[in-house]
Amino acid sequence: MSSRLGVQIGKVSIGAGAPVAVQSMTNTPTSDHALTLQQIYKLATLGTEIVRVSVPDDQSADSLFRIVEKSPVPVVADIHFRTDLAIKSLEAGVHKLRLNPGNIRLAEDVHRIAELAGSKGVPIRIGVNSGSVPGDLREKYSGVNEDSMWAAAERHIALLTETGFHNIVLSLKSSDPMLTVRVNRKASAECPYPLHLGVTEAGPRGTAEIRSAVAMGILLSEGIGDTIRVSISGSPEPEPLAGWEILSSLDLRHRFVRIVSCPTCARTRLDVEALALKVQQMVQGHRLPVTVAVMGCEVNGPGEARDADLAVIGTPTGFMLWKNGKSLGAVPEDKLETRLMEELNNIERRR
Ligand code: SF4
């Protein structure tokens, strides 16, 4: 829960006590509205609540009209350098702009964007990345650190607020998770605006999720952060899944099936990894906040099964299915997936 100022991004509220929202970003050419919408629909199914799209050229800005009209989640236009693309995106009806006011060269251009966004009730996210801190601030504060990044943010905030525009969201990102933590703690102490959290250039899968979870875990557990994005090199589809895993691990929000599976050892009596991955695939996008345990043997299996909504345990005589802490008996291997899915559907129907 956040005590930040409230900001409305289309149908999604952030800050002011609203739940932390999960964001993601498309990597299709925005100029191809059909392909981009296809990816947005997929990301929405996987739990993306706000989607960002890059707007690098006129064709992309033209395409935004159709994307905004059909998108199932609010759309954020990511703008660099060109005022005209920001104006066009606002005219297309985007629900938020993401700008680095430092690379819109003229203050009067930033003012023009702020005035139009203000008249449409569209918030602007100021994005400061460790790589975009201006030279004079790097010099003044002895390099890229939380002080120079915050000074850059303050400079950008002033450009907007001097026009009376306060519908602001801030993001301060670094590829260094602990710098991301320090600068967001500073931002949280210094300003009332909602904070979008992310570790930028976090790397490929595995690395990206760990770095993001470390930074976001620390910040969110301190009550800092209103939206999150786990940036991963390549397809954005794992991003919302990782975002939800972080929120669920912190007990902040539960929306999807949570898989618990044992690490396997010499006692293992079933292919835990294959089954856990299979179950994960089966339930992907299933909006059911329950726990499914996949356990390799009868030693620790029943213990986990008691705490899970549904569990499958390997035993010397085959697979046992458990539901709400009670054994449903043995299940033949070839019926396991069907039975698991049946039971999940039963749970869903009763909720
Ligand atoms: S549940 Fe059984 S198989 Fe899995 S790690 Fe524990 S002891 Fe080993």
Side-chain angles (χ1 to χ4, degrees), residues 138-351:
R138 286 202 304 271
E139 205 167 305
K140 183 172 175 190
Y141 293 99
S142 313
V144 175
N145 49 44
E146 59 271 39
D147 296 322
S148 56
M149 284 179 75
W150 174 246
E154 272 188 314
R155 188 178 277 180
H156 299 335
I157 292 168
L159 270 174
L160 293 180
T161 53
E162 64 199 16
T163 67
F165 187 91
H166 292 275
N167 200 7
I168 294 171
V169 180
L170 270 182
S171 69
L172 297 122
K173 300 184 179 184
S174 165
S175 57
D176 174 346
M178 292 314 292
L179 176 52
T180 303
V181 169
R182 289 194 298 276
V183 73
N184 278 284
R185 280 180 178 150
K186 194 170 178 75
S188 173
E190 300 279 347
C191 78
Y193 303 117
L195 298 172
H196 168 69
L197 302 183
V199 172
T200 190
E201 286 104 35
R205 286 197 75 178
T207 310
E209 286 109 321
I210 292 170
R211 288 187 188 149
S212 302
V214 166
M216 291 174 195
I218 293 170
L219 288 165
L220 291 169
S221 67
E222 293 174 8
I224 299 170
D226 301 280
T227 59
I228 59 170
R229 177 194 174 202
V230 178
S231 308
I232 303 174
S233 299
S235 163
E237 289 180 17
E239 292 190 357
L241 302 175
W244 280 99
E245 199 59 55
I246 290 170
L247 294 182
S248 159
S249 301
L250 291 164
D251 214 7
L252 287 174
R253 293 182 74 187
H254 299 280
R255 191 167 193 186
F256 294 100
V257 177
R258 175 175 164 259
I259 311 282
V260 171
S261 63
C262 81
T264 75
C265 73
R267 292 194 180 89
T268 307
R269 297 183 191 277
L270 80 161
D271 189 343
V272 172
E273 185 189 11
L275 186 60
L277 288 171
K278 188 109 205 172
V279 174
Q280 199 167 43
Q281 237 171 18
M282 278 159 50
V283 300
Q284 208 168 70
H286 225 68
R287 298 197 177 191
L288 189 60
V290 298
T291 300
V292 177
V294 180
M295 301 297 287
C297 80
E298 69 281 13
V299 175
N300 290 329
E304 277 295 342
R306 265 191 288 278
D307 295 334
D309 298 275
L310 213 52
V312 53
I313 305 168
T315 76
T317 51
F319 301 122
M320 301 289 292
L321 197 58
W322 285 54
K323 187 176 172 186
N324 298 329
K326 291 199 183 84
S327 172
L328 298 181
V331 180
E333 189 172 357
D334 60 339
K335 299 270 181 336
L336 193 57
E337 275 176 50
T338 323
R339 287 285 288 118
L340 268 173
M341 217 50 213
E342 262 172 30
E343 291 302 339
L344 270 175
N345 289 333
N346 285 341
I347 295 175
E348 193 165 23
R349 268 197 296 277
R350 268 188 235 114
R351 291 198 175 207

Side-chain angles (χ1 to χ4, degrees), residues 74-85:
V75 177
V76 183
D78 186 273
I79 305 290
H80 285 274
F81 311 118
R82 286 180 53 183
T83 305
D84 61 328
L85 294 180

